[in-house]
Amino acid sequence: MSKTASPEYNRLKVVLAEKKKTNKELADYLNVQPGTVSRWCTNDSQPSIATLFEIAKYLDVKVSSLLIEQ
């Protein structure tokens, strides 16, 4: 049985790469486990709205740039 790909809701992996930041650096800033950031980057889970605002602040981007438009 194959695993269905998770829907993509965020662009966190792309924006981290654009800003030359690592999952670990973001995890340290947010005081979360690196695995949590990894799951966000693969869209296996999603950060809360409040956390999205913290991520945007850290990466110096608009919150909207972290989300995929539907």
Side-chain angles (χ1 to χ4, degrees):
M1 194 159 62
S2 64
K3 182 182 177 202
T4 305
S6 299
E8 291 194 6
Y9 297 112
N10 76 64
R11 300 179 61 247
L12 185 54
K13 183 177 183 176
V14 172
V15 178
L16 279 170
E18 289 172 352
K19 295 292 184 169
K20 296 180 177 32
K21 300 287 186 183
T22 67
N23 290 12
K24 172 101 171 68
E25 289 169 331
L26 179 58
D28 289 346
Y29 175 78
L30 296 172
N31 198 30
V32 298
Q33 293 295 316
T36 299
V37 175
S38 178
R39 286 189 298 280
W40 295 339
C41 286
T42 59
N43 279 279
D44 287 336
S45 68
Q46 300 301 319
S48 70
I49 299 294
T51 302
L52 274 176
F53 276 86
E54 287 298 312
I55 293 167
K57 179 180 169 184
Y58 175 71
L59 295 174
D60 193 28
V61 297
K62 292 181 179 181
V63 173
S64 61
S65 72
L66 297 172
L67 300 173
I68 293 175
E69 291 188 35
Q70 297 291 317

